[in-house]
Amino acid sequence: MYSYIIKGGKKLHGETFVSGSKNASLPILAASIISGKTTKLYNVPDIEDVRITLQILRELGCKIKKEKNKVTINSRYMTKTVIPENLMRKLRSSVIIAGAIIARFKNVQFSYPGGCDIGSRPINLHLENFKKIGIKIDENTRYIECKYDKIETKNIVLDFPSVGATENLILASILGNQEITISNAAMEPEIVDLACFLNRMGAKVYGAGTNIIKIKGVTTLKNVSYKIMPDRIEAGTLLIAGAITGGMIKINGVIPEHISPVLDKLEETGCEIKLSKNAVYLSVNKKLKAVNIKTMPYPGFPTDLQPLFSTLLTICEGTSIISENIFENRFKFIQEIQRMGAKATIEGKTLIIKGVKKLHSADLESTDLRGGASMVLAGLCAKGTTKVSNLKYLIRGYENLDIKLRELGADIIRKEGE
Ligand code: EPZ
């Protein structure tokens, strides 16, 4: 494994591009097995979570060709319907592959995905709603077994607009002659990208991006080529890097409305933001001020950028109140930032941050994907040399983060072996 060594205290200047979206790529890769045809995907981020997903598709019998950011999946010869337990454990979001396998083979077996550092990550909403549309579920063995004779036309209402449950239900309902309506559906842009991909393949998914999604089953799907949307969380990460160093940067390839709650909050701290069709400019020309954050399902403030924004707030003048309403354990990163001089207290789902003038460097251990990225940003801000180790989490979701930050003028290198 390797670490990042960061010589901080420099204002970032320059421009870079965002990669394709991790959280759009994973469900779209899963969806590619439903057709039994060939899918060509472009702008796929070259990250660990994609490589693990491709490993699962290969184990299921798909033929995969990967050339950096272009992936071809031929699912014609796929026969297996058991998601390998060891890979399920490595990538809990692979539970959405179950919906795709069910759609095509009418049965699937997979193990409980298990929790992670940010929460217990249950899948009750997936399973309860599978049952409502006619899928029989046996949870009494080591594997969860799902099978059905016929998906029934149903209107279902999600107790919570879960991204994964919305995606899994869409995938499970693609084939057949039923009509499924999902109310209180998740509205994230990644759901819209998944629906665009599915409809390009010949599916009938209506209303993605709203909280009511309708899926009309079809009988056949076709070969498809598709370009993955840009990663809005990576875009937000890079913009916050510009803000925390007091710099002036341009991030290309962004869809600004995907991150409008984040841009609004950056402006509220005092950053200057300018937009063009597919780029965002950020500059800092004054002392940034504290703001309050409440994470919510889209189009609210995204939970995935809460750790990054909270890290920015540790050097913003005043007291910030951050409430994390999506995951139950997403403040773990702050313990490491406190070792750099940050002043923060946790009260249940609320993080209270009292801004300090500056952070000092330290050796940090990343705890999870977005927490690790937060430590990189803290290192960019603090004068001196900061080491962020245990990057196995970070490489899951960011493609060449160090290269992009160097393009913005950061002094960051990868050091093998620690
Ligand atoms: C997706 O996770 C994303 N991952 C997460 O990004 C993101 O934080 C999350 O959506 C929320 O936007 C991918 O898309 C691969 P949820 P998912 O189901 O689908 C509870 C990152 O850093 N819940 O919307 O797992 C759950 O415990 C990752 O890129 C149930 O209670 O999120 C959580 O509290 C982290 N029962 C809340 O809902 C269920 O059956 C949101 O979960 C499912 C979820």
Side-chain angles (χ1 to χ4, degrees):
M1 193 29 66
Y2 57 82
S3 304
Y4 283 145
I5 307 297
I6 303 154
K7 287 205 178 78
K10 290 175 67 179
K11 290 177 186 257
L12 295 191
H13 283 277
E15 59 180 282
T16 189
F17 259 93
V18 287
S19 297
S21 165
K22 165 177 88 81
N23 291 348
S25 299
L26 302 183
I28 288 172
L29 285 166
S32 69
I33 63 179
I34 303 175
S35 64
K37 304 276 177 57
T38 296
T39 294
K40 286 194 168 77
L41 297 176
Y42 301 89
N43 200 34
V44 180
D46 187 15
I47 55 175
E48 193 60 14
D49 276 11
V50 165
R51 288 190 282 274
I52 295 170
T53 302
L54 293 176
Q55 212 183 331
I56 294 174
L57 298 190
R58 278 194 194 90
E59 297 254 332
L60 295 172
C62 296
K63 301 264 177 288
I64 307 285
K65 190 172 167 214
K66 180 173 183 301
E67 300 147 278
K68 194 153 173 35
N69 300 116
K70 179 185 167 191
V71 175
T72 304
I73 304 114
N74 178 343
S75 57
R76 181 173 177 184
Y77 303 103
M78 177 184 161
T79 53
K80 295 188 189 137
T81 60
V82 181
I83 303 177
E85 186 171 356
N86 62 318
L87 294 175
M88 190 88 198
R89 300 285 307 166
K90 275 168 96 173
L91 180 63
R92 59 166 313 284
S93 51
S94 46
V95 66
I96 51 175
I97 298 176
I101 296 174
I102 287 179
R104 184 167 166 199
F105 295 99
K106 300 187 175 230
N107 80 87
V108 67
Q109 288 183 326
F110 59 98
S111 59
Y112 273 96
C116 68
D117 280 280
I118 63 176
S120 57
R121 312 296 292 274
I123 58 170
N124 59 306
L125 296 176
H126 301 237
L127 301 180
E128 284 161 15
N129 289 288
F130 274 175
K131 285 179 194 161
K132 286 179 191 165
I133 61 174
I135 295 170
K136 308 273 179 298
I137 295 180
D138 178 353
E139 296 182 63
N140 302 320
T141 63
R142 177 187 184 135
Y143 278 84
I144 299 169
E145 179 154 20
C146 306
K147 55 188 170 192
Y148 74 88
D149 301 325
K150 183 177 176 320
I151 297 268
E152 293 150 23
T153 288
K154 272 281 175 17
N155 296 343
I156 51 180
V157 184
L158 291 182
D159 292 348
F160 177 85
S162 152
V163 172
T166 302
E167 291 168 343
N168 231 345
L169 286 158
I170 291 172
L171 294 177
S173 316
I174 289 299
L175 299 177
N177 53 16
Q178 75 287 333
E179 204 170 284
I180 301 290
T181 302
I182 307 170
S183 298
N184 197 27
M187 302 193 281
E188 272 69 4
E190 292 78 16
I191 307 264
V192 177
D193 216 32
L194 171 63
C196 290
F197 167 78
L198 288 165
N199 291 340
R200 183 83 60 83
M201 201 158 64
K204 290 184 175 161
V205 182
Y206 307 106
T210 74
N211 58 2
I212 298 182
I213 297 176
K214 181 171 287 191
I215 306 104
K216 283 187 181 166
V218 295
T219 47
T220 55
L221 297 167
K222 50 193 188 217
N223 296 329
V224 63
S225 291
Y226 193 76
K227 182 179 178 196
I228 303 286
M229 66 174 248
D231 192 311
R232 61 189 173 105
I233 305 302
E234 184 189 47
T237 301
L238 295 168
L239 287 164
I240 296 169
I244 202 169
T245 59
M248 181 190 288
I249 62 170
K250 179 187 179 195
I251 306 298
N252 298 299
V254 187
I255 300 175
E257 64 263 25
H258 283 177
I259 47 170
S260 46
V262 184
L263 300 178
D264 289 354
K265 285 294 174 183
L266 283 168
E267 282 188 315
E268 199 181 323
T269 63
C271 295
E272 285 180 33
I273 301 278
K274 274 194 303 176
L275 306 180
S276 72
K277 188 170 169 302
N278 61 1
V280 177
Y281 300 75
L282 173 139
S283 60
V284 178
N285 305 302
K286 58 183 171 185
K287 178 72 186 150
L288 299 182
K289 300 279 183 237
V291 300
N292 295 333
I293 301 283
K294 280 186 178 28
T295 66
M296 295 300 278
Y298 193 87
F301 191 97
T303 173
D304 293 346
L305 285 171
Q306 175 271 108
L308 291 302
F309 211 101
S310 298
T311 301
L312 167 64
L313 292 172
T314 65
I315 54 123
C316 292
E317 204 168 43
T319 300
S320 301
I321 312 284
I322 299 105
S323 55
E324 173 53 65
N325 301 303
I326 307 294
F327 287 108
E328 68 265 31
N329 188 28
R330 208 164 198 176
F331 293 140
K332 210 168 158 190
F333 69 96
I334 202 71
Q335 293 159 16
E336 290 293 282
I337 316 292
Q338 283 172 304
R339 297 180 52 241
M340 304 173 83
K343 297 280 177 265
T345 48
I346 297 173
E347 288 175 15
K349 294 189 348 176
T350 304
L351 175 62
I352 300 151
I353 290 178
K354 196 167 172 358
V356 294
K357 286 205 178 340
K358 60 183 178 7
L359 298 175
H360 54 73
S361 56
D363 285 357
L364 307 174
E365 186 91 13
S366 72
T367 52
D368 61 85
L369 169 56
R370 308 301 178 185
S374 306
M375 293 170 205
V376 172
L377 267 53
L380 292 172
C381 166
K383 281 196 178 359
T385 301
T386 292
K387 181 170 94 168
V388 180
S389 49
N390 199 21
L391 294 186
K392 65 180 180 190
Y393 298 106
L394 208 134
I395 58 172
R396 288 187 42 198
Y398 289 97
E399 181 180 14
N400 300 326
L401 182 61
D402 53 328
I403 294 175
K404 290 176 178 136
L405 289 171
R406 278 200 295 274
E407 285 173 352
L408 296 173
D411 184 340
I412 175 171
I413 56 165
R414 257 171 60 155
K415 187 161 176 261
E416 299 295 332
E418 290 173 72

